[in-house]
């Protein structure tokens, strides 16, 4: 079904970028080389958004493994990529996140804006199959008035099961913003603090260690490991280790 969403819908007037000239673009070569180097060192897909030209400055080659499209083709498509590869219901969510994200971003002091990252999950279509991916967007270059000219984005498989999970945060801030798709507003929340043992239990869980293995590794009893897990679940307000690992990944706790 043809989408009624257009590429221009992704570009909010709240981030209208002007007065970028060719001499500015001549300085982007090092940024692209850095993105290529990052691509070689990670499994994540990487691309750079150009909010002045309203397209992509760079798209990593490994994006083909995720969606089946060639990197150069996706680069030429620009934001048409989302319209072609994202289900309609998730597209509407992305537009909402984009608009509300920039509204919040513009309330942050200009000197701090480059420190923030917005993260969210959505589906990408590959043929008839849907894959839930996590998308993280971080500003690279701001204009003098604090608008985003270039932003770097990473895409990886999401750890959760549902689209959404929208978070904007600054590392080390102690608080973060979470967007509710039900109430359509941002809520500021305190970042949880894990003990060293709780963090170690989570780290070992990501490696597939059993409860007994974890107990042996940290020289604690199985009952103590169970207590650590209960504490983690309570702090995160989750029900199982899979949800805890998703939370930890999104909040960079491990």
């Amino acid at each position: 079904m043809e989408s009624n969403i257009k590429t221009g819908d992704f570009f909010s007037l709240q981030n209208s970028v002007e007065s970028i000239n060719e001499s500015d673009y001549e300085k982007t070569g090092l940024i692209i080389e850095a993105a290529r180097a990052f691509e070689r060192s990670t499994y994540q897909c990487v691309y750079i958004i150009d909010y002045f030209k309203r397209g992509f400055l760079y798209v990593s080659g490994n994006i083909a493994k995720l969606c089946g499209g060639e990197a150069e083709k996706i680069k030429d498509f620009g934001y048409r990529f989302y319209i072609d590869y994202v289900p309609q219901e998730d597209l509407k969510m992305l537009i909402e996140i984009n608009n509300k994200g920039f509204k919040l971003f513009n309330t942050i002091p200009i000197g701090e804006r480059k420190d923030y990252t917005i993260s969210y999950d959505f589906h990408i279509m590959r043929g008839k199959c849907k894959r839930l991916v996590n998308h993280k967007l971080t500003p690279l270059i701001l204009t003098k008035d604090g608008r985003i000219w270039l932003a770097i984005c990473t895409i990886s498989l999401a750890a959760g099961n549902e689209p959404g999970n929208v978070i904007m945060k600054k590392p080390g801030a102690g608080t973060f913003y979470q967007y509710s798709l039900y109430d359509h507003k941002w809520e500021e929340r305190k970042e949880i603090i894990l003990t060293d043992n709780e963090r170690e239990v989570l780290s070992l869980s990501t490696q597939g260690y059993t409860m007994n293995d974890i107990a042996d590794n940290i020289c604690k009893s199985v009952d103590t490991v169970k207590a650590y897990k209960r504490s983690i679940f309570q702090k995160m307000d989750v029900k199982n280790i899979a949800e805890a690992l998703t939370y930890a990944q999104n909040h960079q706790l491990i």
Side-chain angles (χ1 to χ4, degrees):
M1 184 174 64
E2 181 69 20
S3 173
N4 58 4
I5 293 174
K6 308 302 179 186
T7 57
D9 295 334
F10 289 94
F11 294 92
S12 171
L13 291 176
Q14 298 175 81
N15 192 62
S16 180
V17 179
E18 301 176 357
S19 302
I20 306 297
N21 54 49
E22 287 306 311
S23 64
D24 294 319
Y25 280 97
E26 291 173 0
K27 303 173 184 177
T28 62
L30 288 176
I31 292 175
I32 293 174
E33 286 304 313
R36 285 177 176 150
F38 179 70
E39 174 191 353
R40 293 192 295 270
S41 66
T42 182
Y43 67 94
Q44 295 177 323
C45 301
V46 185
Y47 65 100
I48 298 174
I49 299 175
D50 182 340
Y51 283 97
F52 177 65
K53 292 186 176 180
R54 297 190 168 193
F56 299 151
L57 183 69
Y58 170 77
V59 176
S60 64
N62 59 358
I63 201 167
K65 299 176 183 178
L66 191 64
C67 63
E70 296 178 3
E72 281 303 313
K73 184 179 179 181
I74 292 171
K75 181 176 179 294
D76 292 340
F77 275 8
Y79 268 73
R80 182 76 201 179
F81 161 77
Y82 291 102
I83 295 172
D84 289 349
Y85 287 95
V86 177
Q88 181 75 9
E89 60 271 21
D90 285 18
L91 273 176
K92 293 178 181 178
M93 178 191 73
L94 292 183
I95 296 298
E96 180 176 350
I97 293 171
N98 184 69
N99 290 330
K100 294 299 180 70
F102 276 119
K103 186 174 182 180
L104 174 62
F105 186 77
N106 287 337
T107 68
I108 297 169
I110 292 177
E112 298 180 17
R113 292 182 186 179
K114 286 178 70 175
D115 297 327
Y116 279 81
T117 295
I118 186 169
S119 171
Y120 44 88
D121 298 337
F122 64 96
H123 288 103
I124 285 183
M125 300 296 300
R126 182 167 183 173
K128 295 181 179 180
C129 298
K130 291 195 300 185
R131 291 183 175 183
L132 189 67
V133 300
N134 177 258
H135 186 275
K136 288 184 173 65
L137 184 153
T138 301
L140 274 176
I141 301 180
L142 302 181
T143 61
K144 291 181 179 179
D145 59 352
R147 298 169 189 255
I148 301 176
W149 167 28
L150 300 179
I152 189 166
C153 305
T154 59
I155 304 178
S156 58
L157 293 177
N161 299 311
E162 298 292 335
N165 199 20
V166 189
I167 296 167
M168 185 182 291
K169 65 177 299 182
K170 172 184 176 181
T175 61
F176 65 95
Y177 297 97
Q178 185 161 23
Y179 186 72
S180 170
L181 292 167
Y182 300 100
D183 297 327
H184 305 285
K185 65 180 183 179
W186 290 99
E187 297 177 355
E188 187 172 9
R189 299 186 176 183
K190 289 185 177 180
E191 193 69 89
I192 69 169
I193 298 175
L194 298 177
T195 67
D196 290 341
N197 284 322
E198 289 169 348
R199 190 175 291 105
E200 187 70 11
V201 167
L202 277 177
S203 297
L204 292 170
S205 296
T206 65
Q207 300 173 51
Y209 281 80
T210 66
M211 193 86 72
N212 287 332
D213 292 335
I214 294 173
D216 288 341
N217 268 272
I218 65 174
C219 301
K220 302 288 184 180
S221 69
V222 172
D223 286 340
T224 300
V225 172
K226 289 180 179 179
Y228 289 149
K229 283 192 173 183
R230 286 196 297 270
S231 175
I232 291 168
F233 296 168
Q234 183 177 21
K235 288 179 179 181
M236 295 181 177
D237 191 24
V238 299
K239 299 176 181 178
N240 53 56
I241 193 64
E243 291 180 359
L245 292 175
T246 298
Y247 188 103
Q249 180 189 60
N250 289 328
H251 290 264
Q252 300 174 323
L253 296 177
I254 53 175

